[in-house]
Amino acid sequence: CHGCEVVGPHAYPFGGQNERGASCGDLYVLKISGFGAWSRRIPSGPPVKPRSHHTSSLVDSKMFIIGGVTDATLTEDVSVLNISLLSWSHIKPRGSFTPRQDHTSETWGSEILVFGGRDSAGVAMNDLTKLDTTARQWFTIIPNGPSPSARYGHSSAVVEDGMLIIGGTNGEGLFLNDVHVFRPSVDAWEQLQCTGTAPSPRAFHSTCVVKDK
């Protein structure tokens, strides 16, 4: 339940939860090439509170940390790591965004699409919100087509023409293995009717895209 982004030959994992259940606030850098090498970094700028169950998204060379759990409380805040300068900053976007955890976020151009998660009452959500990182403003998207059911612990990935949402749980004992795609060009959801043998219903997994798969 940490975030991680890759820039060039380096990966930048941030936050998460340790073996004692406490949230972490440290930043590490993993040099991917060769045999791999870890180093801990302390960026300049105002520190970011330890957190877990957040998301990270990369826009240009900036890693946006969105939401999650800090001090046992859900947050809606947005922190930005400038990887080129290795410095933190905090932004307060205009507009409305509900504090949440176990959501997903994906970069689409200069925007970040955030879907689902669970709120402070533990209730699963299925809203779709975008952060315009240039204007520093949240926008609620009212999509065409039926939205995926409320869920958290799902996975997401960007494909050629949209954002995939796979699986998750509704928090009431139902685990999912359905696949949906949101296409920003038409602001529309579509549930994919996939052939073949689907994975068993699950939550808190991960998904990545390699070429067309």
Side-chain angles (χ1 to χ4, degrees):
C1 50
H2 54 283
C4 183
E5 300 297 329
V6 175
V7 177
H10 298 96
Y12 295 81
F14 170 75
Q17 192 175 72
N18 65 22
E19 68 276 10
R20 299 183 300 276
S23 294
C24 304
D26 44 7
L27 174 73
Y28 281 82
V29 178
L30 173 63
K31 184 179 180 181
I32 302 170
S33 58
F35 293 100
W38 284 108
S39 60
R40 184 177 181 181
R41 302 295 178 86
I42 301 178
S44 61
V48 176
K49 286 184 177 181
R51 70 189 58 215
S52 57
H53 302 273
H54 54 282
T55 63
S56 65
S57 291
L58 191 68
V59 179
D60 297 325
S61 62
K62 296 178 180 179
M63 181 169 70
F64 287 73
I65 303 296
I66 299 174
V69 181
T70 66
D71 301 325
T73 302
L74 291 194
T75 182
E76 76 279 17
D77 67 6
V78 180
S79 299
V80 184
L81 176 68
N82 186 316
I83 292 175
S84 299
L85 302 176
L86 206 64
S87 65
W88 283 116
S89 62
H90 303 285
I91 66 173
K92 294 184 177 180
R94 294 170 293 160
S96 177
F97 180 71
T98 303
R100 67 191 67 203
Q101 63 176 321
D102 301 325
H103 48 293
T104 54
S105 66
E106 295 292 345
T107 300
W108 191 263
S110 62
E111 299 174 340
I112 299 174
L113 302 173
V114 179
F115 174 74
R118 51 178 163 168
D119 65 16
S120 57
V123 176
M125 310 163 72
N126 71 338
D127 60 333
L128 180 61
T129 312
K130 70 178 179 181
L131 174 62
D132 185 322
T133 62
T134 302
R136 296 190 174 186
Q137 184 169 358
W138 287 110
F139 295 92
T140 298
I141 300 175
I142 308 299
N144 301 304
S147 298
S149 59
R151 67 191 65 201
Y152 61 88
H154 51 283
S155 65
S156 64
V158 170
V159 294
E160 290 183 354
D161 62 344
M163 176 181 68
L164 287 175
I165 298 294
I166 301 175
T169 178
N170 70 350
E172 299 177 357
L174 177 65
F175 286 76
L176 305 161
N177 66 348
D178 51 353
V179 181
H180 300 259
V181 62
F182 174 73
R183 295 187 171 90
S185 61
V186 291
D187 277 350
W189 282 110
E190 178 187 356
Q191 182 171 357
L192 301 184
Q193 303 302 321
C194 303
T195 60
T197 302
S200 59
R202 66 193 62 201
F204 300 105
H205 52 288
S206 58
T207 297
C208 67
V209 174
V210 179
K211 296 183 179 180
D212 61 344
K213 296 180 175 61

